[in-house]
Structures are given as C-alpha cells and as structure tokens.
Amino acid sequence: MTKNIGSLDRIVRIAIGVALIAATLTGTIGVWGWIGIVPLATALMGWCPPYAMLGFSTCAMKKK
C-alpha cells in the first residue's frame, strides 16, 4: 500500500474522526458517530481505499 493521503488531508481526517467519536461518547449524536473510526483509521494508515480505486492522491509530488 503506497500512501495516498497528504498532510493536510490527514489532519482534517483526524479532526473529523476524533470529533465524531467524542460526540458519540458524550451522547450528542448517538451510535452513528462511531463512523468516525473510518477517517481516523485511514489517516493513521496514510492510505484510503477509495482514493486508490480512483487513482487519486493528496500526497505532495516528488520532484526528480
């Protein structure tokens, strides 16, 4: 698995994941907030399956 998630994308995914999980734990949004595990996991791995299937990447381009 080559990384296809850039730095800014990772930060946003972590923030959204943590916010959703925190909202679930406080009882604000119910069990649907556990979906926050998905963006959190993809950010920690640095790889997103839909990005890979679509050939999309937010990683910085390496100069030769």
Side-chain angles (χ1 to χ4, degrees), residues 1 4 6 8 13-14 17 21-22 28-29 37 41 46-47 58-59 61-62:
M1 293 185 301
N4 60 5
L8 181 61
R13 286 171 185 259
I14 290 171
I21 292 169
T28 306
I29 61 172
I37 292 172
W47 183 74
T58 58
C59 287
M61 299 296 258
K62 294 182 181 179

Side-chain angles (χ1 to χ4, degrees), residues 1-2 5-7 9 17-19 21-24 29 31 33-34 38-40 43-45 47 49 59 61-63:
M1 293 185 301
T2 58
I5 296 177
S7 299
D9 196 0
V18 169
I21 292 169
T24 299
I29 61 172
V31 297
W34 288 111
V38 174
L40 189 60
L44 294 175
M45 289 188 306
W47 183 74
C59 287
M61 299 296 258
K62 294 182 181 179
K63 294 181 181 179

